[in-house]
Amino acid sequence: AVVVHVVASGAGFVEDLDESFKENRKDDIWLVDFYAPWCGHCKKLEPVWNEVGIEMKNMGSPVKVGKMDATSFSSIASEFGVRGYPTIKLLKGDLAYNYRGPRTKDDIIEFANRVAGPLIRPLPSQHMFEHVQKRHRVLFVYVGGESPLKEKYIEVASELIVYTYFFSASEDVLPEYVTLPELPAVVVFKDGTYFVYDEYEDGDLSSWINRERFQGYLNVDGFTLYELGDTGKLVAIAVIDDKNSSVEHTRLKSIIQEVARDYRDHFHRDFQFGHMDGNDYINSLLMDDLTIPTIVVLNTSNQQYFLPDRHIKNTEDMVQFINNILDGTAEAQGGDGLLQRIKRIIYDAKSTVVSVFKSSPLLGCFLFGLPLGVISIMCYGICTADTDGGVEEHEAVKKENGDRELTDEGSEEEQEEEKNGKYTELSDGELKQKDIMEKKKD
């Protein structure tokens, strides 16, 4: 009863939007869930969305929370670029920001507060800088006055604020250990240290920020791995069981952590490091059964992956493995070629069938057995109909030919009768002629 009451109360803080929303939306900042009534993921999100509405209202946020049936108002949904359900967007003036994070209350609220606030947040004091640094694991800061770099920084922030915060500060606000080669500068603080953007070594500012918005070492899940695909980096993962405290599981995780920390300057432009709990997701990704613990390097841009050709005993072995990948001597597996795509289709179909039968054998028999049975009956009927039709057609042709022969020539009895008839007529004529001749003679 309490749960039902909470959900019902939460629904009161989420507005149902209709066609009028298109005209009035620019008056406020909106966080909108575009959903479809039949969508299972949308139904799963609904209680979370109600909690988001309650929390945003209680904290006095200027962001209004709403939801729209995208199937009933398809023209509005199409205008906002909605192509899947559910789609979460924050609408701010003429801009629409897509939410691509985990569908949890805290993550959605964090996204809304970040995007709804100022694009660049000033840090006026060291105390404020320390406070913000404790709250954020990755912190981007522009240092300096007006410049072309600042204009570029603002442009990149407008694009990537959906992922991270952007700040600005003067040089005296930064910690004493920070040394900048020149001003203005863009600095990222993470992993207990800082790194300065270098246009000549790091390339485009947007690409650099997109690469650096993650910590050097991560607990990787399916969503994080998808996000890492945008960085263009290879992902080196220790696939382990977090509940298993054996030496081998702990050792591989430590090796990856050491390489991420001690060899950052060598590999950070090309590699992201982390560990993944369990091999279920990685097995589905590679279409293979990996025995854990193990190490795998993924290229998310083309679905290739690399496995060590020998046992990784220490950090030096891992560094050698990475160098082999970089110089092209390590064998790449997988990929996105035609054969791999066909293999993916077969694998996904097989996985779907197996999962259905495991979860509900009766449902699996109904879903897959009934269509196969119907198709079998149809095929049998078609084949049988063709065979019988052929025999009947042959008999009909034979009968027709027989009738035609009887019509044209008659039966043997009719021919005999016709012959006898002709014989009788001729005999009678001869008799009459004979009688006439006898009369003349007389």
Side-chain angles (χ1 to χ4, degrees):
V2 172
V3 172
V4 171
H5 175 71
V6 169
V7 171
S9 301
F13 296 105
V14 177
E15 297 189 32
D16 280 309
L17 306 176
D18 54 24
E19 293 178 348
S20 62
F21 172 71
K22 182 178 179 180
E23 300 176 358
N24 303 327
R25 73 172 186 84
K26 292 185 180 180
D27 298 335
D28 299 287
I29 301 175
W30 282 94
L31 182 66
V32 182
D33 167 29
F34 293 90
Y35 70 95
W38 44 260
C39 171
H41 295 290
C42 301
K43 294 177 182 178
K44 187 177 180 180
L45 176 64
E46 184 176 3
V48 176
W49 200 248
N50 290 333
E51 293 177 4
V52 170
I54 295 174
E55 188 73 17
M56 298 294 283
K57 188 71 174 180
N58 291 341
M59 65 174 34
S61 172
V63 179
K64 291 188 174 182
V65 181
K67 62 180 180 179
M68 175 177 286
D69 183 350
T71 60
S72 299
F73 306 100
S74 57
S75 60
I76 299 178
S78 298
E79 184 177 333
F80 288 116
V82 176
R83 293 180 175 82
Y85 310 114
T87 293
I88 299 173
K89 289 178 177 285
L90 188 133
L91 308 176
K92 183 180 178 182
D94 294 325
L95 301 176
Y97 297 90
N98 289 326
Y99 175 70
R100 299 176 181 175
R103 290 167 186 165
T104 65
K105 183 193 74 171
D106 293 338
D107 287 306
I108 294 173
I109 291 175
E110 174 74 8
F111 163 80
N113 290 334
R114 180 172 66 247
V115 179
L119 197 61
I120 309 296
R121 301 168 189 250
L123 299 174
S125 64
Q126 288 187 353
H127 177 73
M128 180 62 72
F129 181 91
E130 292 172 358
H131 173 71
V132 170
Q133 192 175 21
K134 289 178 181 179
R135 290 190 57 195
H136 301 283
R137 296 176 179 178
V138 180
L139 190 68
F140 289 97
V141 182
Y142 173 83
V143 185
E146 298 297 326
S147 68
L149 180 61
K150 184 175 182 179
E151 294 178 3
K152 182 64 177 178
Y153 184 73
I154 294 173
E155 180 184 340
V156 173
S158 65
E159 175 189 357
L160 299 181
I161 195 172
V162 293
Y163 300 118
T164 188
Y165 287 89
F166 293 88
F167 298 89
S168 64
S170 59
E171 190 175 12
D172 57 353
V173 170
L174 302 181
E176 295 181 359
Y177 64 83
V178 177
T179 302
L180 300 179
E182 61 180 0
L183 291 178
V186 178
V187 187
V188 59
F189 294 85
K190 65 176 184 177
D191 301 330
T193 184
Y194 70 96
F195 307 97
V196 182
Y197 166 68
D198 187 325
E199 181 179 2
Y200 298 102
E201 291 188 4
D202 299 316
D204 180 64
L205 179 62
S206 177
S207 300
W208 179 76
I209 291 178
N210 198 35
R211 291 195 305 269
E212 297 294 338
R213 64 187 176 92
F214 296 98
Q215 292 177 277
Y217 182 89
L218 296 171
N219 184 354
V220 181
D221 57 15
F223 171 76
T224 307
L225 196 58
Y226 173 80
E227 288 294 300
L228 288 172
D230 294 336
T231 66
K233 291 184 177 182
L234 300 174
V235 186
I237 304 175
V239 186
I240 62 173
D241 182 356
D242 276 338
K243 298 178 181 178
N244 192 323
S245 58
S246 65
V247 175
E248 186 65 11
H249 287 258
T250 306
R251 187 181 63 82
L252 287 182
K253 182 178 178 180
S254 299
I255 288 175
I256 296 292
Q257 289 175 328
E258 290 174 10
V259 173
R261 181 186 66 244
D262 300 338
Y263 292 85
R264 185 193 185 282
D265 292 340
H266 296 84
F267 301 134
H268 80 278
R269 286 187 176 88
D270 301 300
F271 278 85
Q272 175 66 50
F273 300 92
H275 78 274
M276 178 176 283
D277 181 23
N279 62 348
D280 290 340
Y281 183 85
I282 206 73
N283 284 346
S284 64
L285 192 66
L286 307 184
M287 296 180 288
D288 197 1
D289 293 326
L290 293 182
T291 303
I292 58 175
T294 188
I295 289 176
V296 60
V297 175
L298 303 173
N299 186 341
T300 55
S301 63
N302 60 8
Q303 299 181 14
Q304 287 185 341
Y305 63 95
F306 302 85
L307 296 174
D309 56 358
R310 63 177 183 272
H311 186 62
I312 301 295
K313 298 179 180 179
N314 48 44
T315 304
E316 288 72 21
D317 287 344
M318 186 64 200
V319 171
Q320 182 61 48
F321 177 45
I322 292 176
N323 285 327
N324 290 343
I325 294 173
L326 291 176
D327 62 25
T329 57
E331 180 184 1
Q333 302 182 48
D336 55 0
L338 179 60
L339 292 178
Q340 285 296 122
R341 293 179 185 179
I342 295 173
K343 183 180 178 181
R344 168 61 63 185
I345 294 173
I346 297 173
Y347 180 86
D348 289 342
K350 179 181 176 182
S351 300
T352 301
V353 172
V354 171
S355 62
V356 169
F357 274 98
K358 282 185 177 180
S359 60
S360 179
L362 293 178
L363 178 62
C365 292
F366 177 78
L367 291 177
F368 298 102
L370 182 60
L372 289 175
V374 173
I375 293 173
S376 300
I377 293 173
M378 291 176 61
C379 292
Y380 176 78
I382 292 171
C383 295
T384 305
D386 287 342
T387 304
D388 293 343
V391 173
E392 291 175 359
E393 183 179 355
H394 176 71
E395 293 294 336
V397 171
K398 183 177 179 181
K399 182 177 180 181
E400 183 180 354
N401 291 336
D403 292 342
R404 186 179 295 112
E405 291 175 1
L406 294 176
T407 302
D408 294 341
E409 299 180 6
S411 63
E412 294 180 359
E413 294 177 354
E414 289 176 347
Q415 293 179 16
E416 186 67 28
E417 289 178 1
E418 184 178 355
K419 189 184 295 184
N420 293 336
K422 289 180 179 179
Y423 177 77
T424 304
E425 290 176 2
L426 291 173
S427 299
D428 292 342
E430 291 177 354
L431 293 174
K432 288 180 181 180
Q433 185 69 24
K434 187 177 180 180
D435 289 340
I436 292 172
M437 292 297 293
E438 288 180 353
K439 286 179 181 181
K440 287 180 178 181
K441 185 176 181 180
D442 294 338

